[in-house]
Amino acid sequence: MKNSLHIWLDAARPKTLPLALVSILTGSALAFSSGHFLLPVALLALLTATLLQILSNLANDYGDAVKGTDNEARLGPIRAIQSGAVTLNDMKQAILINVTLTVISGLVLIFYALDSVQSILAFVGLGVLAIVAAIAYTVGNKPYGYVGLGDLSVFIFFGLLGVSGTYFLHTGHVEPSLFLPALGCGLLAVAVLNVNNMRDIENDAVCGKKTVAVRLGQTRAKQYHFMLLAGAVIAFAWYLVMQSSPMWISFPFLLSIVVVVKHGKAVWVSDQPAQIAPMMPAIVKCSLITNLLFVGIVIAQTLTS
């Protein structure tokens, strides 16, 4: 029997947490390349992003349990409420505690990094929006995750806002060139969600959870997956090629192409959702390797320039 700590660690889904951090690392590396990196900002942003991801995981556990989506037909790991280890009331309390910690961490970050009233108010608004988005994905009468808007939300928060927002907290401004790495981060995060949704496509369809994968069907969802992977790699590579540093510094990024192609082939030959289930670690690895290679190369380019 698991003790209480292990139960809540499982509910937090630690394997998903790195996905919340890569956009922060990317934004921080880009700020470093511009000469405006602040370690306290990076650490506070990483903490806040981690708390937001945990909040999303807890709320997802609660929302899917209430709606009956977490059932015996679901192929993914058994969740906390589904297993009976945590009650709905326990999870609601955990969500409230997490929201409180997220607000505290976010406010400390905002007031440490920003000076102008306009910027502070803007980031407070974005923080509130991020908390609402984390909860409303599966919780409430009309959760947006059940109508196929989860991919858009992940793209915005794990890509566009994650990268450009972190960069702004370091530097006080944004650059048009940030769009490419933000695009890469966002597309890879959506690819992770898409594997999750392809795995659960049959059960989600029965339960009325109309994810993008459910709406597209398995074959077109796989094609969509390839577009996400290809778009991410191209976006990152395009940014690196545009830099003035020697091309050889960017060569390690080719490793990400090898990893992505291997994963893409495995997805393409899969016939059943059950064959997709073991691919979650693979797509997470693809995302981490690609993002971390990009971050490492950006830092190397900066140090050699």
Side-chain angles (χ1 to χ4, degrees):
M1 184 71 178
K2 293 182 179 180
N3 60 38
S4 179
L5 178 60
H6 285 158
I7 290 171
W8 287 109
L9 282 175
D10 287 345
R13 299 183 217 169
K15 292 181 180 180
T16 68
L17 300 185
L19 298 176
L21 306 183
V22 289
S23 63
I24 307 300
L25 292 175
T26 300
S28 296
L30 293 167
F32 177 79
S33 71
S34 72
H36 295 92
F37 176 79
L38 297 169
L39 181 60
V41 169
L43 294 177
L44 285 167
L46 288 169
L47 174 60
T48 304
T50 299
L51 289 170
L52 279 168
Q53 180 62 51
I54 293 174
L55 173 61
S56 177
N57 291 340
L58 297 179
N60 198 7
D61 197 316
Y62 179 87
D64 281 343
V66 169
K67 291 172 176 58
T69 310
D70 285 345
N71 52 48
E72 294 180 356
R74 182 176 170 274
L75 297 175
I78 296 177
R79 293 176 176 170
I81 296 176
Q82 180 187 4
S83 69
V86 173
T87 66
L88 289 173
N89 189 57
D90 290 337
M91 189 60 75
K92 287 170 70 173
Q93 292 180 4
I95 290 171
L96 289 174
I97 292 171
N98 188 276
V99 168
T100 302
L101 294 175
T102 303
V103 169
I104 293 172
S105 176
L107 289 176
V108 172
L109 168 62
I110 290 169
F111 282 103
Y112 179 88
L114 303 174
D115 294 322
S116 75
V117 174
Q118 293 91 337
S119 296
I120 290 172
L121 291 176
F123 270 81
V124 168
L126 289 174
V128 172
L129 184 62
I131 290 173
V132 171
I135 296 173
Y137 180 64
T138 59
V139 176
N141 294 328
K142 295 181 179 180
Y144 66 87
Y146 276 68
V147 294
L149 295 177
D151 293 44
L152 179 61
S153 176
V154 165
F155 177 71
I156 292 173
F157 286 101
F158 286 80
L160 301 183
L161 289 180
V163 174
S164 60
T166 301
Y167 185 90
F168 187 94
L169 288 167
H170 283 286
T171 67
H173 66 277
V174 293
E175 300 287 346
S177 61
L178 294 175
F179 175 74
L180 287 172
L183 177 64
C185 278
L187 292 178
L188 284 175
V190 175
V192 174
L193 178 62
N194 190 53
V195 167
N196 179 83
N197 291 340
M198 285 193 292
R199 178 196 67 194
D200 296 333
I201 190 169
E202 293 179 349
N203 186 56
D204 284 347
V206 172
C207 296
K209 189 175 184 179
K210 298 179 180 179
T211 62
V212 170
V214 170
R215 291 180 180 276
L216 292 176
Q218 193 75 301
T219 299
R220 285 194 292 172
K222 291 194 288 186
Q223 295 170 349
Y224 170 60
H225 195 67
F226 300 149
M227 293 172 61
L228 294 172
L229 296 175
V233 171
I234 291 170
F236 281 128
W238 191 353
Y239 179 89
L240 294 175
V241 169
M242 288 173 58
Q243 306 311 302
S244 59
S245 301
M247 284 296 297
W248 63 266
I249 297 177
S250 302
F251 284 170
F253 192 73
L254 294 174
L255 177 60
S256 69
I257 298 176
V258 175
V259 175
V260 166
V261 168
K262 180 180 179 181
H263 167 69
K265 287 183 177 180
V267 170
W268 182 251
V269 300
S270 62
D271 295 322
Q272 302 296 327
Q275 294 174 305
I276 298 287
M279 295 181 191
M280 278 300 294
I283 183 56
V284 171
K285 181 173 72 172
C286 283
S287 176
L288 288 177
I289 289 176
T290 303
N291 279 284
L292 292 179
L293 281 172
F294 176 80
V295 166
I297 292 169
V298 168
I299 293 173
Q301 288 178 336
T302 304
L303 295 176
T304 56
S305 62

